[in-house]
Amino acid sequence: MEPVATTFFFYLLAGLAVLGGVLVITRRNPVHSALALILTLLALAGLYLMLYAPFVAGVQIILYAGGIMVLFLFVIMLVSIEKAGREEQFNKIWLVGLLAAVALGGLLVAVYVKGRSLFAGPLIPMPEQSNTQEIGQMLYGNYLFAFEIASLLLLVAIIGAVVMAKKRI
């Protein structure tokens, strides 16, 4: 099956994701970093749509770009930005971060150079019709107990955040 979008759209979305990631770590204002993270998450959702994974793209938009980013902004507003701005920006292990970045860059170049020889055989076509239905049946069938436990943990975390925020106000 042919891809949904052309190579142009892939490179556009990948470039937006990388640009958003760079903006996340280079902005001094945490709210601007959170907005750049939303850009990155939306670009990744577009890439998921290009891979015929509409459920994962929807989860990416609703759960991460929506819910998690609201929590991030909530935490940013609770933390004193003036106090955090006066603290030292860089710690003493920047050399380790630089070495890790160089190693990851080398890995990226190696994968780019080797190309398709890294993969053993032809790609297996994915079923597109029943992707979301099968995930729903497994989630609410086989893994219902784990799903309910996760929702309970999220509920406890929300209640704890509200209680902590109320004590500070």
Side-chain angles (χ1 to χ4, degrees):
M1 179 172 262
E2 293 295 318
V4 173
T6 61
T7 308
F8 169 76
F9 289 112
F10 171 77
Y11 285 121
L12 176 73
L13 290 170
L16 282 174
V18 170
L19 175 71
V22 168
L23 289 175
V24 166
I25 61 174
T26 58
R27 300 296 96 194
R28 289 190 181 269
N29 189 340
V31 176
H32 294 167
S33 292
L35 292 174
L37 186 57
I38 291 173
L39 172 71
T40 303
L41 294 173
L42 290 176
L44 288 177
L47 289 173
Y48 291 144
L49 283 176
M50 288 182 67
L51 292 171
Y52 296 105
F55 179 76
V56 179
V59 167
Q60 180 79 17
I61 292 172
I62 293 169
L63 190 67
Y64 289 108
I68 300 298
M69 288 312 301
V70 167
L71 287 175
F72 278 6
L73 289 173
F74 181 68
V75 168
I76 288 169
M77 296 306 165
L78 281 178
V79 173
S80 174
I81 294 178
E82 294 85 22
K83 181 181 174 186
R86 284 182 256 134
E87 294 177 1
E88 185 177 345
Q89 293 295 325
F90 297 104
N91 56 16
K92 307 297 186 237
I93 59 170
W94 64 270
L95 183 61
V96 175
L98 182 65
L99 290 175
V102 168
L104 283 174
L107 180 64
L108 176 70
V109 169
V111 168
Y112 182 75
V113 169
K114 300 256 185 206
R116 291 197 181 263
S117 64
L118 292 174
F119 301 105
L123 297 176
I124 300 170
M126 298 290 289
E128 302 166 14
Q129 309 273 328
S130 62
N131 185 12
T132 307
Q133 289 87 1
E134 287 180 13
I135 290 174
Q137 287 175 349
M138 287 181 64
L139 187 62
Y140 293 116
N142 298 341
Y143 301 105
L144 181 64
F145 185 68
F147 181 76
E148 291 297 327
I149 294 295
S151 65
L152 243 155
L153 286 173
L154 286 172
L155 178 65
V156 168
I158 290 171
I159 291 171
V162 168
V163 168
M164 288 176 63
K166 228 176 167 185
K167 285 182 181 177
R168 293 184 100 188
I169 295 175

